[in-house]
Amino acid sequence: MDVTTSSTTASAATGVALTSEQVESGNRIDRLMTLEIRPLSGGLPPGIVVPMYEVCRAHQGAPLSMAAAAALKAKVRPGSTVVIATGAGVAPKLPLGETDGPVGAAALAAAIVKGLHAKVVFVTEDAHLPPVVAAVELVNTKLATWAESQPGRTYEPITVESFPIGMNAGQTRSRELIERLNPSAVVFVERDGPNVEGQFHGVRGDCRDPLTVGYVYLLAYHAAEAGVLTIGIGDGGNEVGFGAVREAIRDVLPMRGRSLAGHASGVVTVVPTDVTVSAAVSNWGACAVAAALAVLLSDTELLHDPDTEHELIAVTVAAGARDGATSKQSMVVDGIDFSGHLAFVSLLRVVAGISIRTSSAA
């Protein structure tokens, strides 16, 4: 992965300048979020994490976690609203969604509330509400404790908006949400987007009935029309954001991301975002953006912690979320046992914490 030696660099998509120290910190965070430890067989396709990252990194022109965090820092003002859309999967295998998405989205939401003093609103389709609501309730409890720990701290609790199934209802709901919430940013975490033919897929090529899917991706287009920052966080190419680098991503996927239903354009979405963060696990990408934001703001309180990670996985599973790799309702995310995710969060805290403590600006 590239390491810049210049004093500053700028994200090609957002134009936000980063210092050489911020770039190096972002490089370190990015290396960690792209550590591939998925099972070698029987789960999600192995060997695609780093090639997908390199495609997005070349397009972005900066470390992906840091580019996303810097864009949020530049665009989100105190009191403004950030929309986070998450929830992926359909019945029968993932009737209430998967464990990848809500957990990382919750960690990122907490960092945005603490660091940028914004209001966060989650958006998810009706079927995915139970795990998403469970994650949000846990984080709101944590935020209340955080606010009580120091006089003068205030925050607005995170809220959840549901999203209907189908294109027509989705068009209406998406426009209504953008107009009513007037967000400063819209972030997608593990949220499916359609391919050229308008079909939704899993990364392994399974096609999802469009009549059973919430067209939450429409928020990306309506946000763009309104000049609102959009960020996509994913791990397979089928998620919102990868449309910005669609053909290059297809080139690094096995069989160019073939659709098992025979759709010529494959699994990769056409939906772009201003910043696309490609990680080994979407939860990790969201946590990485939160860590990069902590570095930019020199605030270790924004860093996610292993205990909260464990609790988030537990409450989402209890609410019906399943592992996206095996479709089992267990403490597993993308085929990786929860212990692997706790280890990731622990090391991420160390990496970001060292950058915060030893920065020349500290």
Side-chain angles (χ1 to χ4, degrees):
M1 299 177 188
D2 298 336
V3 177
T4 183
T5 56
S6 61
S7 57
T8 62
T9 190
S11 166
T14 64
V16 178
L18 300 171
T19 68
S20 58
E21 280 191 349
Q22 290 167 348
V23 170
E24 176 55 25
S25 294
N27 284 333
R28 296 176 182 190
I29 293 169
D30 280 12
R31 290 188 189 102
L32 183 57
M33 77 174 186
T34 52
L35 177 63
E36 185 159 11
I37 60 172
R38 291 173 177 173
L40 293 174
S41 62
L44 302 174
I48 65 173
V49 172
V50 172
M52 286 181 60
Y53 171 85
E54 295 291 358
V55 167
C56 294
R57 174 62 183 260
H59 172 75
Q60 207 67 54
L64 304 183
S65 59
M66 195 61 71
L72 287 170
K73 182 174 179 287
K75 296 292 186 179
V76 177
R77 294 290 175 258
S80 67
T81 297
V82 175
V83 170
I84 300 182
T86 192
V90 296
K93 291 185 176 181
L94 302 170
L96 299 182
E98 60 173 293
T99 47
D100 194 18
V103 172
L108 177 56
I112 290 171
V113 171
K114 291 177 181 178
L116 300 178
H117 311 291
K119 175 178 173 56
V120 175
V121 177
F122 273 56
V123 175
T124 193
E125 62 191 67
D126 295 344
H128 299 152
L129 277 170
V132 171
V133 168
V136 167
E137 288 177 347
L138 175 64
V139 170
N140 276 337
T141 300
K142 301 273 185 180
L143 287 171
T145 301
W146 166 81
E148 291 168 0
S149 67
Q150 184 170 314
R153 279 182 177 164
T154 61
Y155 76 101
E156 286 197 58
I158 301 165
T159 58
V160 182
E161 297 271 359
S162 64
F163 202 93
I165 300 299
M167 171 64 85
N168 291 337
Q171 286 277 8
T172 301
R173 181 63 163 155
S174 177
R175 288 191 182 279
E176 185 271 330
L177 286 170
I178 295 297
E179 291 173 4
R180 173 165 56 88
L181 298 176
N182 188 28
S184 53
V186 178
V187 183
F188 299 84
V189 183
E190 183 71 8
R191 183 64 232 183
D192 295 347
N195 65 2
V196 173
E197 293 91 342
Q199 301 293 325
F200 298 83
H201 289 77
V203 66
R204 288 174 286 195
D206 53 299
C207 188
R208 294 163 178 177
D209 183 350
L211 297 178
T212 66
V213 176
Y215 285 59
V216 180
Y217 77 88
L218 292 168
L219 290 167
Y221 289 121
H222 294 146
E225 289 175 3
V228 174
L229 170 69
T230 56
I231 296 171
I233 302 173
D235 57 26
N238 57 317
E239 303 95 350
V240 171
F242 286 104
V245 285
R246 179 180 148 70
E247 288 304 316
I249 289 293
R250 288 196 73 194
D251 286 342
V252 301
L253 291 179
M255 295 179 288
R256 302 199 75 233
R258 183 182 64 174
S259 163
L260 297 180
H263 300 293
S265 71
V267 306
V268 182
T269 185
V270 296
V271 184
T273 50
D274 296 317
V275 183
T276 305
V277 178
S278 183
V281 180
S282 295
N283 282 346
W284 292 11
C287 292
V289 175
L293 186 61
V295 171
L296 289 177
L297 298 175
S298 297
D299 189 350
T300 57
E301 289 197 334
L302 274 59
L303 296 174
H304 191 37
D305 65 88
D307 288 343
T308 301
E309 175 76 2
H310 186 272
E311 291 177 70
L312 282 168
I313 296 174
V315 297
T316 54
V317 170
R322 299 181 183 181
D323 172 33
T326 65
S327 302
K328 294 179 179 179
Q329 193 172 342
S330 58
M331 294 284 289
V332 178
V333 183
D334 279 0
I336 304 166
D337 183 78
F338 75 90
S339 61
H341 299 282
L342 303 193
F344 163 78
V345 171
S346 295
L347 190 52
L348 182 62
R349 284 181 64 86
V350 172
V351 170
I354 288 172
S355 290
I356 292 169
R357 292 194 303 274
T358 61
S359 166
S360 60

